[in-house]
Amino acid sequence: TVALSAFAQSAGYLIAALGPFLVGVLYEQTGGWTAPIVLLLVALAVQASAGMVIARPRHIEDEH
C-alpha cells in the first residue's frame, strides 16, 4: 500500500508540475492565450468527466 501510494503521489506531482510549463510553452509558441485556455478547458472536461464517473453512487452487494 505504501509503495502504491508513493508511486501515485509522485506521478500526480509530476503531471501537475508539467501543467504550468505546458501552458507557458503554448503561450510562447502561439503568442496568445487562446491555445493555453483551450488546453485548460479540455483538461477540465476530462477531469470533470472522470470525477463524475468515479463519484457516482454504487452499492456493493454482500456475497455469501
Side-chain angles (χ1 to χ4, degrees):
T1 305
V2 173
L4 179 60
S5 176
F7 171 75
Q9 190 171 13
S10 298
Y13 277 117
L14 179 63
I15 292 168
L18 291 176
F21 176 74
L22 187 55
V23 168
V25 168
L26 278 174
Y27 176 75
E28 286 291 321
Q29 294 295 317
T30 62
W33 286 105
T34 303
I37 296 297
V38 168
L39 172 71
L40 292 174
L41 290 174
V42 168
L44 172 69
V46 169
Q47 291 174 2
S49 299
M52 298 281 279
V53 170
I54 292 169
R56 71 180 185 263
R58 289 183 252 181
H59 300 285
I60 300 173
E61 296 186 29
D62 293 335
E63 294 184 24
H64 291 99

